[in-house]
Amino acid sequence: MNTFTSGTARAALRVFLLLATLLTLAAPPAARASTAAAPFKVLALYSGTWDAAHIDFDKEADDWFPRQAAANGFTYTASTDWNLLSNGGVNAYQVVLFLDDLPQTAAQRAGFEQYMRGGGAWMGFHVSAFTTDAASWPWYHDQFLGSGNFRSNTWGPTSAVLKVEDRTHPATRNLPATFTSAVSEWYSWSNDLRQNPDIRILASVDPSSFPLGTDPNQSWYSGYYPILWTNTEGSRNTPETCRRDQPRRRAAGSRSATCRATASTPGRA
């Protein structure tokens, strides 16, 4: 079974539909009326130059997302031109995806921050959140995502029981108190999100999941691991940056690419 079109893909589609709803609700009534019939536009940026699993994932994403776009009323454009972030091209899109990378130049990073502060929406996959040097882009890693540096991961990939901590947010309103995830590789981060006043944690790893992992040397046996959270900074206490983190990696011998997905709804300065 193609793991991209299973749990993670369905989650991605649900986030897209949520983003579309939030973008519509955020618009003034007159704008809503004029754009009600217009599909929202998605731009996927990727590099496609390293790691066989990432390249496979890019190919699968560029097959799956256009089909979902046609079926669910949005448009999908894929590009390797990351300078669309710095030259204003990104402003023609309501949602931006990072499939296998993140902005590298100062101009690209500044353009992405401006896009998000102006009301853009974002979803990231694979290494789009990974870093061991959060200080190299503190706005993105420490403020926007809030996660800081990569700290550890579980291995091998397993499902986990996730506990919903806040069912008042649109992303979690219809979820049960706990649910079992798709098979994933789980990541933890250096920043304790519970200590960040702008972060509202929506779901975390339930203790019944421990030990999490199959390799005794790369398993989690206890601790607190947020999986879904929202960043409320600058939103008058309305959630604006929602990040879903479900790390995944393809198993040995598998031909299908899997992903870590993160998503953020519009942020405003």
Side-chain angles (χ1 to χ4, degrees):
M1 179 179 67
N2 186 318
T3 51
F4 177 73
T5 57
S6 59
T8 299
R10 289 193 295 271
L13 178 56
R14 286 196 294 270
V15 173
F16 270 131
L17 297 177
L18 172 61
L19 291 177
T21 301
L22 293 177
L23 287 167
T24 300
L25 293 176
R32 274 184 234 165
S34 64
T35 61
F40 69 95
K41 299 172 67 177
V42 177
L43 172 67
L45 295 173
Y46 69 101
S47 296
T49 57
W50 63 285
D51 193 293
H54 292 187
I55 294 171
D56 285 348
F57 173 75
D58 294 336
K59 293 177 180 178
E60 292 186 12
D62 286 340
D63 171 69
W64 187 83
F65 276 113
R67 289 188 281 111
Q68 297 306 313
N72 293 281
F74 62 93
T75 68
Y76 177 85
T77 301
S79 175
T80 58
D81 184 7
W82 289 82
N83 287 325
L84 289 170
L85 297 173
S86 56
N87 63 20
V90 69
N91 295 326
Y93 299 87
Q94 286 74 52
V95 183
V96 173
L97 312 184
F98 295 169
L99 294 183
D100 66 356
D101 209 343
L102 64 159
Q104 299 298 319
T105 71
Q108 291 168 358
R109 292 178 174 186
F112 177 64
E113 180 177 351
Q114 183 179 21
Y115 168 79
M116 291 306 301
R117 290 186 180 278
W122 172 84
M123 180 183 290
F125 298 85
H126 276 304
V127 297
S128 61
F130 178 87
T131 187
T132 57
D133 183 17
S136 65
W137 193 9
W139 172 81
Y140 181 79
H141 293 291
D142 287 324
Q143 182 178 339
F144 176 63
L145 298 181
S147 48
N149 290 317
F150 166 82
R151 186 178 66 182
S152 69
N153 63 279
T154 63
W155 193 257
T158 61
S159 61
V161 177
L162 303 182
K163 178 175 66 175
V164 177
E165 300 194 19
D166 185 337
R167 299 177 72 182
T168 65
H169 189 273
T172 54
R173 184 173 298 149
N174 296 319
L175 293 177
T178 61
F179 63 95
T180 301
S181 74
V183 173
S184 295
E185 175 195 7
W186 302 96
Y187 280 32
S188 68
W189 310 93
S190 62
N191 291 348
D192 185 349
L193 296 175
R194 295 170 294 182
Q195 304 304 314
N196 187 329
D198 295 323
I199 296 295
R200 175 177 157 198
I201 297 171
L202 305 179
S204 62
V205 173
D206 188 80
S208 64
S209 297
F210 299 129
L212 187 57
T214 59
D215 180 345
N217 295 319
Q218 299 183 78
S219 295
W220 294 344
Y221 295 90
S222 63
Y224 183 76
Y225 301 97
I227 299 301
L228 173 64
W229 61 89
T230 180
N231 186 323
T232 63
E233 181 186 7
S235 62
R236 298 181 183 176
N237 297 320
T238 300
E240 293 201 352
T241 304
C242 175
R243 183 168 184 273
R244 175 184 174 89
D245 190 81
Q246 188 178 25
R248 307 183 68 184
R249 181 179 295 173
R250 65 177 185 176
S254 170
R255 297 182 60 190
S256 59
T258 55
C259 71
R260 177 176 70 250
T262 62
S264 294
T265 53
R268 294 172 177 77

